Amino acid sequence: MEVWLKRVSFSLFLSMLFATLVFGTNETEPEKKVVIKFDPEASVAQVDSLTNSLGLTRVKSIEEIGVDVFEILSHYSVNEVVQVCSNMPYVVYAEPTAAARAFYIEEPTPESNPEPRPQAPAEVAEHVPGEVIVKFKSTVSQQTATNILSRVGIQIAKRFDEIGVLKCDFGGPESVLKIVEECNADPNIEYAEPNYIYRRFVIPNDSRFSSLFGMTITDAPEAWDKQTGSKSVIVGVIDTGIDTDHEDLVANLWSNPGETGDGKENNEIDDDNNGFVDDFRGWDFINNDNDPFDDNQHGTHVSGTIGAEGNNEIGVVGVNWSVSIMPLKFLGRDGSGTTDDAVEAIVYGTNNGAKVLSNSWGGGGRSQALEDAIQFANDNGVLFVAAAGNEFSNNDQFPTFPANYEVPNVVSVAASTSGDDLAGFSNFGKRTVHLAAPGSNIVSTVPRDLYASLSGTSMATPHVSGAAALVWAEYPNLTMRQVKTRLLGSVDRNPDFADEVITGGRLNVNNAISTNPVINTTRLENTLDETGPYVVEADIVDDGSVQNATLTYQIMGQEAVSAAMSSQGDDRYTGDIPGQPLGTTIVYFVSAEDNQGNETRDSNFTFAIAEPEDDGCGCGRPAIDVAIEDANLKSTVNTVANACFFLLPFVAIKFHAARRRKKNG
């Protein structure tokens, strides 16, 4: 028995060692710096005593979120300092300045060429309110036609006798779609349809536009017929910097009004009193200077997708032809950076007017300071768009930060291909990644007036950041929450994304600026609750006002039931589905009508009164689930514990076989 236990213990040791090698640890210390947040009630004497005893020197203070960055000048390691500080009652938290990296693939990733897929029903195309096109069957008399039109409540406004078509109008409260539906139900009418609005599709003359599948697949050209962007919208690119002299970017770079003109750019004075001297074009947080030049290429590439100048006959075009891109450099030449610099970049961008922060980077551990900074941006109405990661990993199970922070302003982005499926490298998550966007073989700007193709969720993220900026250009008075609803509620849903991202779809820029209601419905998951009700929530926004919202559901193929949803304020609507017995399957959708009579019907969603589905790894529930608050530590411990549990039978079998051989020998 003792020998068997020793062998099992050795096996457990090997399996734990294997898990450590595979999954890694958080022990790497890129530099001896720590982030500390002291309790506001902590005395100066307490702070000084602690920092002096540990040999800490303050190198940076970020007052907006109450944290300080210290360099360790003593023999103590980062982990030792963090442990000591964390045990002090007057320390809120202490953590390393964890490393973060850009999320991109240096070599282009081959794309598959899948078969065409069925598309989800599109919303009704743009049409003229109060007008319909009607054609009666050739056998219908003029008097019968007149009676039918009178009954429906419409009048003839124009005749096209050559083809037997009538343009009719009406002045009542009915919507165009209801009139069309009523007309088409009459057997005397050959067809009735809205009076659709057609527009020219604005195609820019930029020389490399034909290479930009990311623009065409997201319907950006259709959007550009209505809106091409505005310099009043500022997008902060938190990255490796930007080539500020690039031919396709220079016209769309942000200029700090408080540090521009009359020689303020280089007068070595903090003219706008924001704590940064001569920051006329952003900031380099690594070198602490006003030259955020890109010595990598990543940040310049990201910026081109957001806002390379449009229609200038050169290079590429961004989602925005016109925009203000704020360079916020915190990643170095090697594509890596630290928590404290990321925090400072977020705070700077927020304080200096950015509406969108684009973040094509991640890694390191969960940082409370970083989350505090993102919360600060959220509290100031700033959208935080983040790359989901490139490990083809499930973020529901293995969180990637900053994309996994549960702060309302975060939008996590997966990467899709020109075949409109999930890229082979992209992270995903049915509960944590919001939507997909083009991120494979994306052509954009790189330093020295050059252009290159890169792949990664880094490349997908700026498509969404750019779309957010375009929405704000079209609707300047929207809140951050309303912009997020437009992005998520307007996706092109696709079966390939149904179990990969929250919305089940890929970015559609044109739909995001639609004048029809935009609906972002919460997907209900399987539940064992038979009592109910099952509450369906939907965020609904419109360029005017939402007149009504309706929840329609069908239980096990029975007749569908429709019920009015209740407004909860802040564009949120709820509706209830009554409790059902175990084994019941329910299909539901949300529809809405605005004050112009425009209607939108969201996609169908399905859930069952049954055992909840697993997390998509195909392995069901773990045999061992250790309760630990820290998500990263819990994931690692559970992985090791379950690996050990899995190996035990094999160890026992091997030991038993060895004993039999010994006995028989």
Side-chain angles (χ1 to χ4, degrees):
M1 185 62 146
E2 183 179 351
V3 175
W4 183 83
L5 286 173
K6 286 182 178 179
R7 292 186 179 184
V8 171
S9 299
F10 183 66
S11 175
L12 292 177
F13 168 75
L14 288 178
S15 62
M16 294 180 72
L17 177 61
F18 170 78
T20 301
L21 291 173
V22 172
F23 297 104
T25 67
N26 292 324
E27 296 302 317
T28 302
E29 298 178 5
E31 55 182 324
K32 292 184 67 173
K33 285 184 181 179
V34 292
V35 178
I36 303 176
K37 183 171 185 175
F38 289 99
D39 189 295
E41 301 300 321
S43 67
V44 174
Q46 288 174 317
V47 173
D48 288 346
S49 175
L50 178 64
T51 55
N52 290 337
S53 65
L54 294 174
L56 307 182
T57 298
R58 184 182 284 104
V59 294
K60 188 183 299 182
S61 293
I62 305 174
E63 297 178 359
E64 289 84 351
I65 61 173
V67 302
D68 296 293
V69 181
F70 292 89
E71 185 175 359
I72 305 171
L73 301 181
S74 64
H75 65 279
Y76 291 111
S77 70
V78 170
N79 285 347
E80 288 172 333
V81 170
V82 168
Q83 185 175 4
V84 171
C85 291
S86 297
N87 289 326
M88 295 295 110
Y90 48 86
V91 173
V92 178
Y93 61 78
E95 58 190 25
T97 55
R101 291 193 173 274
F103 281 151
Y104 76 108
I105 310 296
E106 294 193 20
E107 295 297 326
T109 304
E111 297 183 25
S112 58
N113 294 299
E115 294 296 320
R117 297 170 182 75
Q119 297 296 314
E123 66 178 24
V124 177
E126 186 181 9
H127 56 270
V128 180
E131 295 183 3
V132 293
I133 304 295
V134 179
K135 183 176 183 178
F136 285 92
K137 293 179 179 178
S138 58
T139 56
V140 177
S141 68
Q142 183 174 345
Q143 184 60 49
T144 301
T146 300
N147 292 340
I148 292 172
L149 295 178
S150 177
R151 174 178 56 80
V152 176
I154 58 179
Q155 303 82 39
I156 299 174
K158 185 183 295 185
R159 295 177 181 271
F160 302 92
D161 293 331
E162 294 84 352
I163 58 174
V165 169
L166 306 172
K167 187 188 91 166
C168 303
D169 56 24
F170 60 95
E174 296 85 359
S175 74
V176 167
L177 298 187
K178 287 182 179 178
I179 293 293
V180 167
E181 183 179 359
E182 187 174 353
C183 288
N184 282 327
D186 193 304
N188 295 293
I189 293 178
E190 185 172 329
Y191 63 78
E193 60 190 21
N195 188 12
Y196 293 114
I197 297 173
Y198 299 94
R199 299 181 184 274
R200 62 192 178 91
F201 290 159
V202 178
I203 303 298
N205 59 21
D206 302 77
S207 59
R208 296 173 184 260
F209 176 74
S210 61
S211 301
L212 307 181
F213 89 87
M215 299 299 164
T216 54
I217 203 170
T218 59
D219 291 344
E222 289 88 333
W224 293 333
D225 189 62
K226 309 161 197 168
Q227 180 62 250
T228 56
S230 169
K231 294 284 286 184
S232 65
V233 181
I234 302 172
V235 179
V237 176
I238 301 178
D239 214 287
T240 61
I242 300 175
D243 179 356
T244 53
D245 293 322
H246 196 287
E247 61 181 6
D248 230 357
L249 294 173
V250 65
N252 283 339
L253 289 179
W254 173 72
S255 178
N256 183 355
E259 294 283 354
T260 305
D262 298 326
K264 295 179 181 177
E265 292 84 353
N266 293 291
N267 63 2
E268 299 184 2
I269 298 173
D270 182 10
D271 295 286
D272 59 358
N273 296 313
N274 69 348
F276 297 86
V277 176
D278 295 339
D279 57 322
F280 68 98
R281 56 182 176 185
W283 198 255
D284 177 350
F285 296 94
I286 299 175
N287 300 304
N288 197 32
D289 61 41
N290 69 344
D291 184 14
F293 181 79
D294 184 2
D295 50 6
N296 177 281
Q297 75 172 0
H298 189 266
T300 301
H301 195 279
V302 165
S303 299
T305 299
I306 294 170
E309 184 181 2
N311 227 36
N312 63 349
E313 299 185 345
I314 58 172
V316 296
V317 61
V319 179
N320 299 266
W321 297 13
S322 179
V323 69
S324 291
I325 301 174
M326 177 188 290
L328 302 171
K329 179 181 174 72
F330 98 102
L331 299 176
R333 183 188 299 272
D334 64 352
S336 68
T338 59
T339 302
D340 59 314
D341 288 335
V343 166
E344 197 166 15
I346 293 168
V347 171
Y348 178 98
T350 301
N351 282 340
N352 286 278
K355 300 293 288 182
V356 183
L357 295 176
S358 192
N359 303 272
S360 293
W361 50 273
R366 183 186 188 109
S367 164
Q368 186 59 54
L370 188 56
E371 185 173 355
D372 285 350
I374 297 170
Q375 183 66 53
F376 175 74
N378 177 80
D379 295 344
N380 285 275
V382 178
L383 192 70
F384 189 91
V385 185
N390 297 340
E391 295 78 33
F392 194 60
S393 175
N394 188 340
N395 284 6
D396 294 349
Q397 297 176 311
F398 305 104
T400 296
F401 299 103
N404 270 70
Y405 286 119
E406 296 179 5
V407 184
N409 63 336
V410 173
V411 176
S412 176
V413 186
S416 62
T417 70
S418 60
D420 216 13
D421 53 7
L422 190 74
F425 53 79
S426 178
N427 286 8
F428 52 92
K430 189 177 180 179
R431 300 179 183 89
T432 54
V433 179
H434 292 95
L435 77 167
S440 181
N441 297 338
I442 302 300
V443 178
S444 187
T445 49
V446 292
R448 314 298 181 189
D449 291 342
L450 299 175
Y451 302 84
S453 174
L454 297 176
S455 296
T457 53
S458 280
M459 284 61 252
T461 299
H463 282 90
V464 178
S465 301
L470 199 71
V471 170
W472 250 311
E474 178 70 2
Y475 304 113
N477 296 322
L478 292 186
T479 65
M480 176 272 294
R481 191 169 180 271
Q482 290 171 326
V483 171
K484 182 175 178 178
T485 296
R486 281 188 167 272
L487 293 174
L488 304 188
S490 60
V491 297
D492 283 335
R493 291 194 170 87
N494 183 323
D496 281 343
F497 300 122
D499 293 323
E500 312 296 351
V501 295
I502 295 171
T503 60
R506 184 252 311 131
L507 174 72
N508 186 300
V509 178
N510 186 47
N511 288 349
I513 62 172
S514 172
T515 56
N516 288 356
V518 177
I519 306 172
N520 182 32
T521 305
T522 301
R523 294 200 291 186
L524 295 181
E525 298 186 1
N526 289 359
T527 177
L528 292 173
D529 175 21
E530 299 181 67
T531 306
Y534 314 115
V535 181
V536 176
E537 298 179 325
D539 293 322
I540 308 176
V541 296
D542 188 75
D543 66 318
S545 61
V546 176
Q547 293 295 98
N548 59 71
T550 303
L551 169 64
T552 301
Y553 60 90
Q554 187 177 36
I555 299 172
M556 298 292 285
Q558 300 174 13
E559 184 176 348
V561 177
S562 294
M565 301 181 75
S566 301
S567 173
Q568 306 300 318
D570 290 330
D571 307 307
R572 174 63 57 89
Y573 293 79
T574 60
D576 293 346
I577 299 174
Q580 300 296 324
L582 203 64
T584 302
T585 299
I586 303 171
V587 179
Y588 67 95
F589 68 85
V590 173
S591 57
E593 182 180 5
D594 67 11
N595 60 316
Q596 295 294 323
N598 300 315
E599 294 184 359
T600 298
R601 178 194 183 284
D602 202 6
S603 298
N604 288 351
F605 297 100
T606 303
F607 73 103
I609 314 306
E611 187 77 21
E613 297 176 353
D614 62 35
D615 291 327
C617 66
C619 42
R621 293 181 175 179
I624 301 172
D625 188 10
V626 182
I628 299 175
E629 290 186 4
D630 186 286
N632 286 329
L633 182 59
K634 178 178 180 178
S635 176
T636 302
V637 170
N638 279 333
T639 299
V640 172
N642 281 279
C644 295
F645 183 84
F646 175 76
L647 288 171
L648 278 174
F650 297 97
V651 175
I653 291 170
K654 185 175 180 181
F655 174 69
H656 181 66
R659 288 195 63 183
R660 289 188 63 182
R661 286 195 300 269
K662 183 176 181 180
K663 182 177 181 181
N664 294 334

